[in-house]
RNA sequence: GCAGGAGUGGCGGAAUGGCAGACGCAUCAGACUCAAAAUCUGACGUAGGUGACUAUGUGUGGGUUCAAGUCCCAUCUCCUGCACCA
């Protein structure tokens, strides 16, 4: 009889052996086929590892271990995305340097990850807060700056009142700070920006060349928000100035009955003196300025606005004079900040026109009465009341109108994107210093690359200042410097980079993590890039994933990296929720600590459970009973050693099952269907127990298949049954397609699609024989006229009778 | 509102258009035990029948098909993301 499975002993034993043997160190031999598997590196928070972390890590660990068994040189690295607000806030509260906080947290995380038996190559560990690392983050920033893609500008930014820091649009969720939940207001500040908009088109087109799960590609496309339309100039009666609008429906130009400008539109101030109701306009403008973007869209249903008296616009297509309104439903930040309103065919314009009693002219026929209901369908309508466009479809009319506009010089085709430039400044201490100085004579000047890394200086206090400046601004010794360009006095930039900076290129550093001459060597990049499979959270789709694609594409354009897209394949995992189906949180009291599970049931049980919990890409709620079930399964695998025979081959009655299982587990691992892969292995051991025997050959195959999921117990069993070498060094099992097919099968016999009996047949029995046998079995039920006989090989016979 | 996804036993969840509910959990019964736990064996959608069985069943209503959880049309609910983007 075997001893009881002692997970603590077994797991510590093998973790030590793997370390000593450098079992999972990546080979530098570039002649082997490579595989780069990537998981998102964690932010080492003070709370330690969350039970959600092991889900993606185990999944990619399984893929990595399988790839190694298949003969690939695998890069499966891990590191720390360690700059960020929580660490800084903790440092402020406890008067500890963030460097030390980070170090402690990293140690804790590393220990926890180690206890889970991941096959990370720890020789390639990276940390974004290491000056040797952020030297290259700063270097990339300087390249962007030199190409004019980093610029500083005065602009209203999203300002978190609690964190006292500017946020990117992507970091504002429902009008509050994504991180702390406090109110976000608008504040005008001078900010560093990255021109991601310049890459909008490339980022969309790149999506066609990679294998991302559908919803990720769709979200990115929607976020970039490409729309094709036209810009049209409307003249202002009696003025030189034109009022330019952007429209995607230039076909409806004949139906434009008024115009609307955004409250921030410069035309208002310019013609202030001629606007006869200026007081009313100004008051409206002030009210609008007070509302946050969130409030503006919250109140979306109710349109407000003021007509501008004293100014009139002229519709260039029919020379008709039309009124101009100011309304906050038009945004200054998209298009031109002014629109032509076609109330008959635009929902917002229709609402506004109804409220202000403006004329609604139908120019696309096909809907109901436009006085009663807006008609926005572009697929079926036909142009009317539109001069030379009459009778055309919407698509034809758009084309013809653009030709006309361009010919007359009053407009042109124009593509717009919703994507905005990336706000790249943070008024915080714990981030990468921006390597720029400001000189009164020369403006913003890059520091020489030879001076990188520009290290974070030690400061007295990390408290952000109330003026909104970074704590670095109080360090006069550091701030005052000389201009690298003219040698005169200059000041250093005191803003730091956002947390997204370090994670925008980290995968490149893994390929050559200790290089001091370049972010990575050409050879390493050529060999390892692109990442073959990157799994991460859905929440990073429009932030990290888009930002890193942007940086990578930029580096490709500069000849730094060898491929335009960083990730060949991207998948995402679902969240692990508390047992009540809610997100795990301290306040809800439903948090599960992975350490407890590892201690009580073992790392292999935790890994197996997290893979078995449900479909990988859907969220799943934690059930303690399910953990026990997985432990039971591993115990049963353990005890198979007691009924093992010494035969190396598969037993005759289980040969088919073995080949089927190898096939299923292998393909399920590739397709993120870990739950059904484990189910198949459970079903297999149920077969062994049913006949109370397992051959050594069968056992070895099972252990190999299970090894990527539960590496410790399988490695131990491999040794117990007397096998030479290590299990992790074995080859992945092969199967023969022909042997996955049963020699006899039970098929269903149906009448009119309803099952009436079952029948055992040989796999090669001819169709006629099978049908004849089937009819015998259900002879007493064949009362009508047979109209059709259907035979689906290996499945069923269906007799259709009337 | 738009986009993506989901709706299947008491629960988590399986099902290239081909025997719905694999696998696991819980529950019940039996074995082992003085007893319990653990372990092993078996039952386990619903309704009816002593029974082999019969009927019914994948959110709802239609349709296509020899055959629909799966495909098509409509509809309801839930989740996720985006949202006055002209």
């Amino acid at each position: 009889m075997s001893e009881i499975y002692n997970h603590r002993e077994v797991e510590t034993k093998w973790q030590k052996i793997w370390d000593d043997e450098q079992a999972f160190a990546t080979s530098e031999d570039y002649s082997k086929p490579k595989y780069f598997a990537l998981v998102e590196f964690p932010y080492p928070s003070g709370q330690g590892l969350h039970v959600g972390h092991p889900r993606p890590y185990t999944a990619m660990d399984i893929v990595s271990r399988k790839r190694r068994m298949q003969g690939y040189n695998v890069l499966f690295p891990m590191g720390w995305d360690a700059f960020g607000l929580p660490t800084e806030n903790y440092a402020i509260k406890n008067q500890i340097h963030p460097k030390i906080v980070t170090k402690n947290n990293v140690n804790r995380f590393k220990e926890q990850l180690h206890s889970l038996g991941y096959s990370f190559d720890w020789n390639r560990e990276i940390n974004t807060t290491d000056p040797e690392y952020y030297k290259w983050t700063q270097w990339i920033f300087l390249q962007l700056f030199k190409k004019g893609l980093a610029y500083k500008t005065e602009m209203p930014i999203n300002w978190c009142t609690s964190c006292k820091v500017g946020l990117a649009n992507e970091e504002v969720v429902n009008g509050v700070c994504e991180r702390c939940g406090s109110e976000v207001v608008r504040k005008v500040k001078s900010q560093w920006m990255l021109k991601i908009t310049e890459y909008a088109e490339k980022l969309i087109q790149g999506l066609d060349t990679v294998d991302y799960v559908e919803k990720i590609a769709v979200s990115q496309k929607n976020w970039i928000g490409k729309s094709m339309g036209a810009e049209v100039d409307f003249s202002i009666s009696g003025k030189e100035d034109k009022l330019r609008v952007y429209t995607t429906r230039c076909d409806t130009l004949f139906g434009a009955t008024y115009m609307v400008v955004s409250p921030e539109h410069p035309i208002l101030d310019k013609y202030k003196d001629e606007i006869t109701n200026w007081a009313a306009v100004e008051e409206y403008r002030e009210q609008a300025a007070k509302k946050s973007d969130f409030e503006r869209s919250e109140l979306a249903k109710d349109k407000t606005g003021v007509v501008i008296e004293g100014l009139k616009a002229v519709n260039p297509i029919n020379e008709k004079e039309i009124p101009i309104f100011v309304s906050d439903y038009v945004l200054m930040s998209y298009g031109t900040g002014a629109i032509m309103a076609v109330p008959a065919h635009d929902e917002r314009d229709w609402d506004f026109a109804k409220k202000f009693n403006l004329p609604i002219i139908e120019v696309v026929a096909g809907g109901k009465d436009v006085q009663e209901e807006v008609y926005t369908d572009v697929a079926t309508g036909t142009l009317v009341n539109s001069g030379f466009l009459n009778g055309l479809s919407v698509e034809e009319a758009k084309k013809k109108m653009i030709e006309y506009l361009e010919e007359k010089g009053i407009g042109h085709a124009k593509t717009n994107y919703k994507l905005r430039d990336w706000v790249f400044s943070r008024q915080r201490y714990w981030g990468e210093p921006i390597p720029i100085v400001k000189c009164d004579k020369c403006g913003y000047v890059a520091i020489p690359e030879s001076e990188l890394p520009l290290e974070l200086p030690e400061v007295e206090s990390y408290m952000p200042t109330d003026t909104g400046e970074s704590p670095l601004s109080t360090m006069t010794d550091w701030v005052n410097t000389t201009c690298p360009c003219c040698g005169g006095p200059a000041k250093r930039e005191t803003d730091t980079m956002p947390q997204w900076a370090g994670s925008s290129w980290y995968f490149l550093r893994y390929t050559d993590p200790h290089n001091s001459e370049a972010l990575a060597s050409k050879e390493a990049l050529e060999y390892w890039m692109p990442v073959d499979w990157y799994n991460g959270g859905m929440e990073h789709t429009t932030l990290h994933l888009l930002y890193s694609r942007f940086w990578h594409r930029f580096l490709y354009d500069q000849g730094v990296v060898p491929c335009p897209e960083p990730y060949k394949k991207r998948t995402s995992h679902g969240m692990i929720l508390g047992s009540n189906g809610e997100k795990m949180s301290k306040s809800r009291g439903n948090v599960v600590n992975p350490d407890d599970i590892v201690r009580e049931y073992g790392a292999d049980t935790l890994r197996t459970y997290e893979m078995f919990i449900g479909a990988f890409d859907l969220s799943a709620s934690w059930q303690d009973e399910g953990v026990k079930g997985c432990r039971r399964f591993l115990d049963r695998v353990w005890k198979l050693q007691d009924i093992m025979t010494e035969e190396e081959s598969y037993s005759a009655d289980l040969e088919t099952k073995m080949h089927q299982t190898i096939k299923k587990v292998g393909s399920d691992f590739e397709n993120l269907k870990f739950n059904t892969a484990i189910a198949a292995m459970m079903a297999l051991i149920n077969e062994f127990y049913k006949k109370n025997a397992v051959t050594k050959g069968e056992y070895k195959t099972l252990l190999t298949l299970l090894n990527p999921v539960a590496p410790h117990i399988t490695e131990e069993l491999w040794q117990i049954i007397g096998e030479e070498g290590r299990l992790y060094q074995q080859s992945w099992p092969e199967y023969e397609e022909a042997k996955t097919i049963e020699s006899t099968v039970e098929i269903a016999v149906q009448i009119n699609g309803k099952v009436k009996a079952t029948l055992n047949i040989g796999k090669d029995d001819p169709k006629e024989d099978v049908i004849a046998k089937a009819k015998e079995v259900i002879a007493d039920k064949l009362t009508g006229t047979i109209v059709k006989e259907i035979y689906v090989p290996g499945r069923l016979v269906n007799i259709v009778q009337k």
Side-chain angles (χ1 to χ4, degrees), chain A residues 230-234 243-247 259-260 336 338-340:
Chain A
E231 283 186 342
V232 185
D233 289 326
F234 282 60
L243 196 48
R244 177 168 285 189
V245 302
Y246 176 70
T247 176
M259 297 185 79
V260 187
T336 62
I339 60 154
M340 67 175 208

Side-chain angles (χ1 to χ4, degrees), chain A residues 127 655 764 801:
Chain A
N127 184 326
E655 191 183 32
D764 296 323
Q801 66 172 13

Side-chain angles (χ1 to χ4, degrees), chain A residues 73 140 256 291 309 333 403 446 461 493 539 578 741:
Chain A
N73 183 20
I140 296 170
K291 289 187 209 168
E309 287 166 16
S333 51
E403 277 168 28
S461 159
E493 175 57 62
E539 69 274 21
I741 299 159

Side-chain angles (χ1 to χ4, degrees), chain A residues 27-256:
Chain A
S27 162
E28 305 277 355
D29 178 1
Y30 292 171
S31 64
K32 288 167 78 181
K34 67 98 182 181
Y35 200 85
F36 190 171
L38 186 67
V39 290
E40 288 167 345
F41 62 161
Y43 176 71
S45 72
Q47 280 93 47
L49 208 67
H50 181 272
V51 83
H53 285 113
R55 199 181 195 193
Y57 297 168
T58 307
M60 293 312 287
D61 194 40
I62 289 170
V63 171
S64 298
R65 286 173 179 272
K66 179 173 176 235
R67 283 289 179 283
R68 286 192 199 93
M69 289 177 149
Q70 290 172 317
Y72 287 88
N73 183 20
V74 172
L75 175 53
F76 183 45
M78 183 39 80
W80 316 104
D81 186 17
F83 274 127
L85 274 178
T87 299
E88 185 167 342
N89 289 338
Y90 183 88
I92 292 169
K93 206 170 152 194
N94 300 285
Q95 293 297 309
I96 309 175
H97 196 286
K99 225 190 261 176
I100 297 168
V101 179
T102 299
K103 197 171 167 231
N104 293 342
N105 290 350
V106 163
N107 286 341
R108 168 110 192 271
F109 260 74
K110 199 172 168 180
E111 217 169 89
Q112 289 182 299
L113 289 178
H114 191 257
S115 78
L116 285 164
Y118 291 126
S119 63
F120 295 127
D121 178 1
W122 288 107
N123 301 326
R124 291 175 184 246
E125 175 181 355
I126 58 170
N127 184 326
T128 56
T129 65
D130 178 353
E132 284 310 304
Y133 178 90
Y134 69 67
K135 172 180 177 178
W136 299 105
T137 312
Q138 291 173 328
W139 182 84
I140 296 170
F141 178 85
L142 288 184
Q143 309 314 306
L144 288 159
F145 178 73
K146 284 172 189 165
K147 294 290 165 184
L149 292 169
Y151 62 98
K152 202 163 194 190
T153 188
E154 286 274 327
M155 66 165 307
I157 57 152
N158 305 301
W159 179 258
C160 172
T161 47
S162 164
C163 303
K164 293 179 183 165
V165 66
L167 303 172
N169 289 325
E170 289 85 341
E171 294 171 294
V172 183
V173 177
N174 289 342
V176 300
C177 172
E178 178 193 50
R179 198 167 284 283
C180 73
S182 309
E183 191 196 358
V184 173
V185 297
R186 300 232 133 210
K187 190 162 180 166
V188 175
K189 274 206 67 79
S190 178
Q191 298 285 321
W192 281 101
M193 307 287 291
L194 294 188
K195 237 184 232 175
I196 190 171
T197 49
E198 192 129 305
Y199 276 76
E201 191 60 38
K202 284 177 175 174
L203 290 171
I204 289 178
Q205 283 174 4
L207 289 172
D208 293 334
T209 67
V210 291
D211 175 20
Y212 287 11
V213 294
E214 172 84 1
K215 63 177 171 177
I216 297 174
V218 168
S219 303
Q220 287 216 346
K221 267 186 200 154
N222 289 346
W223 188 262
I224 297 168
K226 181 177 182 173
S227 76
M228 304 219 273
E231 283 186 342
V232 185
D233 289 326
F234 282 60
S235 49
I236 303 173
S237 296
K239 301 284 178 288
E240 280 294 300
D241 273 313
K242 304 274 188 188
L243 196 48
R244 177 168 285 189
V245 302
Y246 176 70
T247 176
T248 54
R249 293 295 305 275
C250 63
D251 56 300
T252 61
L253 190 50
F254 283 96

